[in-house]
Amino acid sequence: MAKPVFTTKSSTIHRVEYNEKEKLMEIEFRSGNVYRYYNVPPRMWKIFQLYIECEGSAGSFFNEYIKNQFTSEKITGSHQPED
């Protein structure tokens, strides 16, 4: 996985990691849940990184461009679904 990106302003997302070779994105939510998203294009990762660096809402970006757009699985965490 690439060096993780930690968000400081997001109330929902704590950490995002990406594996460009396998096109895998892992997102750790503040709740402790970690989800893996499959077939995420490198371009999407780069845009997400820029969005976070510019202090945009990581949660809003996630909801609009990642959630329900890519196949995912829960890796660890509680039994509560993410918003």
Side-chain angles (χ1 to χ4, degrees):
M1 297 291 259
K3 182 179 175 186
V5 173
F6 291 89
T7 64
T8 56
K9 305 270 184 202
S10 177
S11 60
T12 52
I13 295 175
H14 173 62
R15 174 186 57 86
V16 183
E17 276 187 80
Y18 184 72
N19 180 319
E20 187 168 344
K21 183 179 177 184
E22 297 185 23
K23 297 182 181 176
L24 297 176
M25 182 181 289
E26 281 189 8
I27 299 179
E28 179 182 345
F29 294 88
R30 299 250 181 234
S31 66
N33 292 337
V34 178
Y35 282 81
R36 181 173 291 152
Y37 295 85
Y38 296 92
N39 297 312
V40 178
R43 177 178 160 87
M44 180 65 69
W45 166 241
K46 289 179 176 104
I47 293 169
F48 198 10
Q49 279 183 296
L50 288 171
Y51 201 78
I52 292 168
E53 289 170 11
C54 294
E55 298 189 17
S57 170
S60 293
F61 186 95
F62 166 77
N63 285 330
E64 175 113 10
Y65 298 105
I66 297 172
K67 185 178 183 180
N68 301 322
Q69 303 298 319
F70 299 97
T71 302
S72 65
E73 73 174 314
K74 186 176 185 179
I75 304 302
T76 61
S78 67
H79 296 291
Q80 299 174 350
E82 295 306 325
D83 296 331

